[in-house]
Amino acid sequence: MSIISDSLKRIKPSPTIAVTQKARELRAAGKDVIGLGAGEPDFDTPDNIKSAAINAIKKGDTKYTAVDGTPALKKAIVTKFKRENKLNYSVDQITVGTGGKQVLYNTFMATLNKGDEVIIPAPFWVSYPDMVLLAGGKPKIVKCTEQEGFKLTAKKLKKAISKKTKWVIINSPSNPTGAGYSKKEIQDLARVLIKEKKIHILSDDIYEHVRYDNFNFFTIAQISKLKDRTLTMNGVSKSYAMTGWRIGYAAGPKDIIKAIGKIQSQSTSNPSSISQAAAVEALNGKQGFIKTRANAFKARRDFVVKSLNSIKGINCLTPNGAFYVFPSCKGLLNKKTRLKTDSNFVQKLLEKENVAVVQGSAFGLDGYFRISYATSMQNLKKAMTRIKSFCESITR
Ligand code: PMP
Ligand code: GLU
């Protein structure tokens, strides 16, 4: 009899983390690897946020806090939702966890019974299906094509709904495509969901502040008829370059918030007291750098999209958010190149040119790969030259 549980056998380690780790190891072994796998801003956490953490340590904020977040952080989150999303919540509708990842994990653990379905539009962030599986649920993957801008349509949503559907996940701007849903696109989905009164909506807004070209961010909880059935997850990781601090949060129905807290009380207890103090400063402090950093990301996005589209066999859409692009490599999967799958493509690219990217199949859509452009322009220039030379060499 295996010591490992059956539920753990249903899942795999996170492929995005695996690629990042592999790039790290190759670099440590002396290889000149350019890692475009990591999904985190390369910028540093702003100084005012760091100072708040240092002050918290000095003040003795070094003890357990309330399991689901300090009153100060919950208040800052309530204010954030009011200020940025025109959404009113009370503090008992807020929960704070060790990263958005833990909040999502707790949510599925707290709400899914065996066989409950979660609609996940693909391409998706790698952890959604595995978290659902771990909790005993069933991921219902809905493929969204390049022609659809990699976004879920009302028609496909309607078709995917069954009696067992418990959640629908919306992630805008999206990991891995960077696609953002317009207000109209959200309203189209909402029209379907308003009629389906038993379904809850999980909106993953973690890339809210990484957006370009005057893209107007709109989140589904702003549709008043759906607010009571929506759990909105967000966090400080991407907006404030705080991935290592591990603070994520959610706002939504009190019963779900309470259930999430119950799991946390029996697992990790509160997220780090020091990180919570830093997150208060992130949310309440100056916000100007968000725009400056988004502008830097935009310049990189423009460069990467243009470079990729100049390569024969590669096609890349221009996303309006996050720091990823999701180009197609289908034009390079054939007899001549002797590459059959996106995984072959990604593996060979790493072997031959030392560029680490993630295969599209890890995100539920074959024939693509994900590039994270959250790295310096210098690295990106080098990487694009290498990708181009790789693609030319396999078609020669
Ligand atoms: N959602 C998406 C779509 C993400 O890309 C990430 C980043 N890993 C998360 C949630 C969780 O981020 P964190 O746990 O750092 O808050
Ligand atoms: N969200 C990031 C990514 O997709 C971080 C790694 C992870 O948690 O998956 O690369």
Side-chain angles (χ1 to χ4, degrees), residues 278-322:
V280 171
E281 174 60 21
L283 295 174
N284 289 346
K286 53 187 181 199
Q287 307 289 312
F289 65 90
I290 290 179
K291 184 92 189 127
T292 319
R293 289 181 174 187
N295 286 342
F297 277 136
K298 180 186 174 334
R300 297 171 186 183
R301 178 205 65 173
D302 291 344
F303 169 72
V304 168
V305 170
K306 196 166 164 224
S307 307
L308 289 167
N309 281 325
S310 76
I311 303 173
K312 213 171 155 217
I314 302 274
N315 187 53
C316 184
L317 296 185
T318 306
N320 42 19

Side-chain angles (χ1 to χ4, degrees), residues 213-226:
D213 310 327
N214 299 320
F215 168 67
N216 282 320
F217 179 79
F218 186 80
T219 191
I220 198 156
Q222 289 176 282
I223 308 259
S224 55
K225 283 188 180 157
L226 290 178

Side-chain angles (χ1 to χ4, degrees), residues 14 16-17 20 37-40 101 125-127 175 207 238 324 363 370:
S14 163
T16 48
I17 292 181
T20 312
E40 64 178 344
K101 206 174 215 173
W125 177 43
V126 294
S127 292
N175 179 0
Y207 295 100
K238 321 282 173 171
Y324 309 107
F363 306 94
R370 186 189 83 173

Side-chain angles (χ1 to χ4, degrees), residues 151 172 180-187 215-216 218:
K151 286 181 270 192
S172 167
Y181 287 69
S182 66
K183 182 173 178 182
K184 167 151 191 322
E185 286 164 339
I186 297 278
Q187 283 169 333
F215 168 67
N216 282 320
F218 186 80

Side-chain angles (χ1 to χ4, degrees), residues 137-150:
K138 230 173 113 186
K140 179 106 178 219
I141 309 292
V142 182
K143 290 199 180 185
C144 308
T145 64
E146 192 177 337
Q147 291 69 30
E148 292 162 332
F150 301 119

Side-chain angles (χ1 to χ4, degrees), residues 99-101 104 125 128 171 175 204 206-207 233 237-238 246 324:
K101 206 174 215 173
L104 293 172
W125 177 43
Y128 298 143
N171 173 216
N175 179 0
D204 180 343
I206 198 122
Y207 295 100
M233 189 230 89
S237 284
K238 321 282 173 171
R246 311 306 305 127
Y324 309 107

Side-chain angles (χ1 to χ4, degrees), residues 53-62:
I54 293 165
N55 289 340
I57 296 174
K58 288 189 178 153
K59 256 181 23 206
D61 279 354
T62 51

Side-chain angles (χ1 to χ4, degrees), residues 48-68:
N48 62 313
I49 300 174
K50 288 183 181 172
S51 299
I54 293 165
N55 289 340
I57 296 174
K58 288 189 178 153
K59 256 181 23 206
D61 279 354
T62 51
K63 304 277 194 282
Y64 292 134
T65 73
V67 163
D68 60 352

